[in-house]
Every structure is written in C-alpha cells, then in structure tokens.
C-alpha cells in the first residue's frame, strides 16, 4: 500500500471548518487506501507563543477530534509529533540542506510572521516548513493530504528530497500533495477572498467545530454574499455564495448542480437557513463524539502511545539511514 502522512496543529483547541473539509476528511478517506500516518504536530505549535497547560490539553483535544472525525487507530497510525524524537532530529539535517533564500520564499512564513510582527517572529517559525519536510520524509510518504495553502511546502519537500538523494544516494521517497480541488481552500465567511483561518481578524468568519452549534448556525446566517440574488457557483464573481455551496455540497454529498437547481428562484436566506441546519446536524454529533474520547483520557493516551510506537519504528529506520548517508559515525 502507498504511504500517506499528514499533521494538524493543536494550537486553537477546536479544528475549524477549513481544517476539516480541506484536510481531515481526506485523512479519513486515505486510511482505506493507504498505510496512513497522522499526527498532532505539537512541535509546530510552539513556533508561536503557547501556554504549556493549554498546549497539553489541546493536544488531547486535537487527537479526540481526529478520532471523532473517523480516524480508526486499527486502520491508521495516530500519534503526537513530540513522542517521536526523530522529527526534530531529521529536521536539523534538512535545515542544513536548505538555502536561506529558499526558506525566505515560503509564503506561509511571510503571512504568519506578518501576523506575529517582526519583533515576535521566531527562528522556529522561519524553519517550520523544513521541519515539515522532515515530518513527511521520515515516513517515505507518497501522498500528503493537505489544503491548498500547504502546496508550496510539499514542493519544498520534493526539492529537498531530490537534493538529498542526489548528494548522498537514493534515500527518500518524493511525495505528492493530495489536494482535493473542490475543498482545497475554504473561505472566511465574512471575507470570502481570504482563507478561513484560526487567526482571522473577524471571528464571525470562522466556524469552530467545537463551538455551540447555534453559534455556528448564526455565523452561516450572517455570511457575506453579494448584491445579486441568484444562487449559482461562480468563484470569481460570487465568492461568498460559492463558498457556501462548496460547504453545503461537501457536508451533504449533494452536487453543486443539484443545489443550484434546488435553490433556483429562491433567495440567499433560504440557502443560509438550510445550510445552518446542515451545519448543526454535522457539528452536534461531532462535538459529542469528541467529548466521549476526552472523557476517557487514559484510553486516549493509550491510543497515542501505541501510535507513537508504530510511528517510531518507521521513523527510526529512516533516520538511521539518513544519518549514515550524511556521514555521522554510528554509536558503537
Ligand atoms: N481554509 C482552509 N481550507 C482548506 N484547508 C485548510 N487548512 C487550513 N485552513 C484551510 C488545512 O488544514 C490542515 C491543518 O492546518 P494546520 O493545523 O497546520 O493549521 P494552519 O494551516 O496553520 O491553519 P490556519 O487556521 O490557516 O492557521 P493560521 O491562522 O496559523 O494560518 C492543513 O492541511 C491546511 O492546509
């Protein structure tokens, strides 16, 4: 079976709708066809200031949400990044292979450092895409399910894998981004030109899956649309309505064409009212399942411990080969 690998940050506590539709849904799908490794990337979470108690709690919350979304520890390997020290170890090797200019071109870094402000931007934030390279290469992943914003990092991963292989001999598999076009970028409900993001300036544009369902319903009902009245998918001219149609279509399995037909002659109000209901129907059981996993932290930790053990077996093997290739003297 081909390998899949991806990770999600525990920073915000709740996943948002963009995380779920753009990435987590694909994690669930790929566990059927791939030897899949999914992790809560706590090492990435400390690239911006964190509260230690919150990070610890949110790491469990992230794992619980992944299980609630449908990851099955019998069919995939679910673990916490810091439980597998090989990530940091291979990360260093990859840092030493990356050009400063090359790292400076990462647009995610530029966006995130702009949000932090120059004085608060850490070297860790600058090099986090390179740690991500190590995350992927350690598992010899073929496919990396992510949203569109991560495409450049997967390109960097391929470049560095090629560079390493060229310089030291064939060691790493070159991965491909697994990006589902329809849901590659879910947009902010208040500013449909921006991606939905946890660090949005306007919380009304962001759906957090663990919020009270009625809060999410209200956000859908107050989503920005346009002055036209026709319900039609047109990402260029009608980004707000198109975003709502994408969300609706993905959560219900109805095609966009079917939705356009269903709402022919109806107003935006009808679309929003129905989608608000779809949202409530989705988040209500999701929250309940997440809470069930959180109610049994010992069981959750056991799942993560088993996952880390499985992940480490693969990661340690790759790291040993990479260390040997670069010329590190093996311990006697
Ligand atoms: N709006 C989105 N549409 C589609 N996919 C998205 N992803 C994030 N936002 C969208 C995908 O979710 C996965 C996990 O993301 P992450 O935990 O690494 O967080 P992030 O990308 O830093 O999330 P945010 O909310 O976008 O954070 P900030 O505010 O820091 O920029 C990834 O696969 C990502 O593509």
């Amino acid at each position: 079976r081909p390998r899949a690998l991806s990770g999600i940050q525990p920073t915000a506590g709740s996943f948002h709708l963009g995380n779920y539709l753009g990435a987590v849904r694909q994690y669930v799908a790929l566990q059927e066809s791939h030897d899949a490794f999914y992790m809560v990337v706590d090492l990435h979470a400390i690239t911006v200031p964190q509260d230690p108690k919150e990070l610890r709690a949110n790491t469990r919350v992230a794992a619980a949400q992944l299980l609630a979304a449908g990851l099955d520890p019998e069919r995939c390997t679910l673990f916490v990044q810091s439980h597998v020290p090989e990530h940091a170890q291979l990360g260093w090797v990859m840092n030493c292979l990356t050009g400063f200019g090359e790292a400076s071109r990462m647009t995610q870094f530029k966006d995130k450092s702009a949000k932090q402000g120059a004085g608060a931007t850490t070297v860790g934030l600058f090099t986090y895409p390179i740690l991500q390279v190590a995350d992927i290469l350690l598992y010899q992943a073929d496919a990396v399910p992510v949203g569109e914003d991560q495409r450049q990092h997967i390109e960097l991963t391929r470049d560095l894998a090629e560079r390493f292989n060229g310089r030291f001999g064939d060691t790493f598999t070159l991965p491909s981004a697994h990006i589902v076009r329809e849901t590659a970028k879910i947009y902010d409900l208040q500013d449909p030109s921006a991606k939905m993001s946890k660090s949005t300036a306007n919380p009304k544009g962001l759906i957090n899956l663990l919020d009270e369902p009625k809060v999410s319903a209200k956000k859908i009902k107050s989503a920005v649309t346009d002055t036209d009245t026709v319900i039609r998918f047109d990402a260029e001219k009608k980004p707000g309505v198109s975003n709502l149609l994408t969300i609706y279509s993905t959560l219900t399995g109805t095609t966009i064409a079917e939705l356009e037909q269903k709402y022919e002659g109806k107003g935006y109000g009808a679309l929003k009212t129905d989608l608000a209901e779809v949202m409530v129907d989705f988040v209500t059981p999701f929250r309940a399942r997440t809470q069930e996993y959180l109610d049994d932290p010992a069981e959750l930790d056991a799942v993560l411990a088993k996952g880390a053990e499985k992940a480490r077996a693969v990661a340690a093997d790759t790291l040993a080969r990479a260390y040997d290739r670069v010329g590190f003297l093996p311990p006697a």
Side-chain angles (χ1 to χ4, degrees):
R1 267 150 69 108
R3 282 260 170 84
L5 174 286
S6 202
I8 187 153
Q9 298 199 58
T11 323
S14 177
F15 294 164
H16 61 70
L17 190 62
N19 296 142
Y20 175 72
L21 296 179
V24 176
R25 257 174 67 92
Q26 276 61 254
Y27 299 180
V28 179
L30 289 189
Q31 68 182 347
E32 308 304 335
S33 52
H34 286 63
D35 181 18
F37 291 79
Y38 301 120
M39 58 180 172
V40 180
V41 291
D42 52 353
L43 297 183
H44 289 282
I46 66 164
T47 54
V48 295
Q50 88 287 6
D51 175 77
K53 238 169 86 182
E54 264 175 39
L55 176 59
R56 206 167 288 125
N58 284 343
T59 299
R60 281 205 186 107
V61 175
Q65 287 175 95
L66 289 171
L67 293 166
L71 290 190
D72 174 358
E74 298 298 322
R75 283 183 289 167
C76 71
T77 303
L78 174 63
F79 64 102
V80 174
Q81 187 185 25
S82 66
H83 293 177
V84 180
E86 286 78 4
H87 289 263
Q89 291 174 289
L90 187 65
W92 177 252
V93 175
M94 291 298 148
N95 267 307
C96 296
L97 221 69
T98 311
F100 191 85
E102 193 174 31
S104 308
R105 285 194 291 276
M106 294 299 120
T107 56
Q108 283 287 304
F109 166 71
K110 289 189 218 170
D111 290 354
K112 291 186 185 208
S113 62
K115 281 178 193 162
Q116 289 296 307
T121 297
T122 65
V123 176
L125 188 64
F126 182 60
T127 62
Y128 98 86
I130 307 164
L131 177 60
Q132 209 179 311
V133 168
D135 295 339
I136 298 165
L137 297 183
L138 269 179
Y139 298 91
Q140 308 286 12
D142 301 285
V144 187
V146 283
E148 182 62 40
D149 57 340
Q150 295 297 320
R151 190 185 289 280
Q152 194 187 26
H153 294 164
I154 313 304
E155 285 306 314
L156 178 70
T157 309
R158 292 175 66 90
D159 289 348
L160 290 177
E162 265 189 316
R163 192 170 306 158
F164 189 104
N165 290 350
R167 209 173 281 179
F168 303 113
D170 219 14
T171 308
F172 295 118
T173 302
L174 266 57
S176 303
H178 177 91
I179 298 176
V180 173
R181 190 176 49 83
E182 290 79 4
T183 51
K185 195 169 177 182
I186 301 298
Y187 295 89
D188 188 297
L189 297 178
Q190 290 297 314
D191 174 8
S193 68
K195 82 163 184 177
M196 186 179 282
S197 153
K198 62 179 173 281
S199 50
T200 177
N202 187 350
K204 280 171 70 188
L206 172 73
I207 301 257
N208 282 311
L209 302 188
L210 296 182
D211 277 354
E212 280 284 341
K214 63 174 189 284
V215 171
S216 299
K218 205 166 157 206
K219 288 179 183 178
I220 294 281
K221 285 184 185 158
S222 57
V224 166
T225 46
D226 51 55
T227 52
D228 188 29
T229 50
V230 185
I231 296 174
R232 174 170 56 84
F233 189 94
D234 183 338
E236 297 265 303
K237 295 202 188 83
K238 301 169 73 67
V241 172
S242 302
N243 192 39
L244 295 179
L245 287 171
T246 299
I247 295 168
Y248 197 148
S249 159
T250 318
L251 287 179
T252 57
T254 321
T255 66
I256 300 266
E258 284 165 349
L259 289 174
E260 285 173 340
Q261 208 173 14
K262 177 172 177 186
Y263 290 100
E264 207 181 312
K266 293 189 182 159
Y268 292 161
L271 173 71
K272 288 180 179 177
T273 304
D274 290 354
L275 180 56
E277 207 172 297
V278 165
M279 191 60 61
V280 169
D281 288 348
F282 172 69
V283 295
T284 305
F286 179 83
R287 290 174 89 225
R289 281 197 300 271
T290 301
Q291 193 53 51
E292 275 171 35
Y293 288 110
L294 288 172
D295 285 341
D296 192 351
E299 173 60 24
L300 187 58
D301 290 357
V303 165
L304 295 172
K306 203 166 152 219
E309 198 185 318
K310 274 163 69 189
R312 258 202 108 169
V314 177
D317 186 56
T318 310
L319 183 76
R321 256 187 291 157
Y323 267 24
D324 180 58
R325 290 276 159 90
V326 298
F328 291 158
L329 180 68

